[in-house]
């Protein structure tokens, strides 16, 4: 009896893991995910440039400006994309990304 219960629990866990991890993304979700990846990359570049400038004393404004421009471009593309999104999950992910961008601007003092 215990073995049957354990097998059922493992089957339920496996099913939920499969449906949550391996479901294919829609085109809208892929577009939002790509913008998120671009934002993460640019934000990481800014953070690395600030660390390097702090430790070496070298001004890294060129790198930061490029990355800020990337973030602004992501923000523009996100606004365009948001107006065309139809799926609720995509809309929610776009809102979350928009909030992350706003929070990044606020924390880093960038405009």
């Amino acid at each position: 009896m215990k073995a049957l219960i354990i097998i059922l629990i493992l089957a339920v866990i496996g099913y939920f893991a499969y449906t949550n991890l391996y479901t294919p993304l829609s085109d809208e979700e892929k577009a939002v995910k790509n913008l998120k990846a671009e934002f993460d990359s640019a934000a990481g570049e800014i953070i690395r440039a600030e660390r390097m400038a702090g430790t070496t004393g070298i001004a890294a404004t060129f790198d930061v400006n490029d990355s800020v421009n990337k973030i602004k471009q992501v923000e523009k593309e996100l606004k365009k994309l948001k107006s065309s999104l139809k799926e609720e999950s995509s809309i929610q992910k776009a809102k979350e990304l928009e909030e992350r961008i706003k929070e990044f601007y606020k924390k880093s003092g960038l405009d």
Side-chain angles (χ1 to χ4, degrees), residues 8-76:
L8 286 174
I9 291 172
L10 289 175
V12 169
I13 291 171
Y15 172 76
F16 283 114
Y18 175 77
T19 57
N20 289 327
L21 297 176
Y22 295 110
T23 54
L25 297 176
S26 68
D27 290 338
E28 289 182 358
E29 289 175 325
K30 286 178 186 175
V32 173
K33 185 177 178 180
N34 289 338
L35 288 176
K36 181 184 178 295
E38 287 182 44
F39 168 72
D40 289 342
S41 172
E45 289 172 7
I46 290 172
I47 292 169
R48 282 189 297 279
E50 289 174 350
R51 286 183 185 157
M52 288 299 293
T55 57
T56 61
I58 299 171
T61 56
F62 181 73
D63 293 338
V64 172
N65 288 335
D66 286 345
S67 299
V68 170
N69 290 335
K70 276 187 195 177
I71 291 175
K72 288 182 180 184
Q73 184 64 33
V74 167
E75 192 173 25
K76 286 179 190 176

Side-chain angles (χ1 to χ4, degrees), residues 1-10:
M1 187 66 173
K2 287 182 182 180
L4 180 62
I5 293 173
I6 291 173
I7 291 172
L8 286 174
I9 291 172
L10 289 175

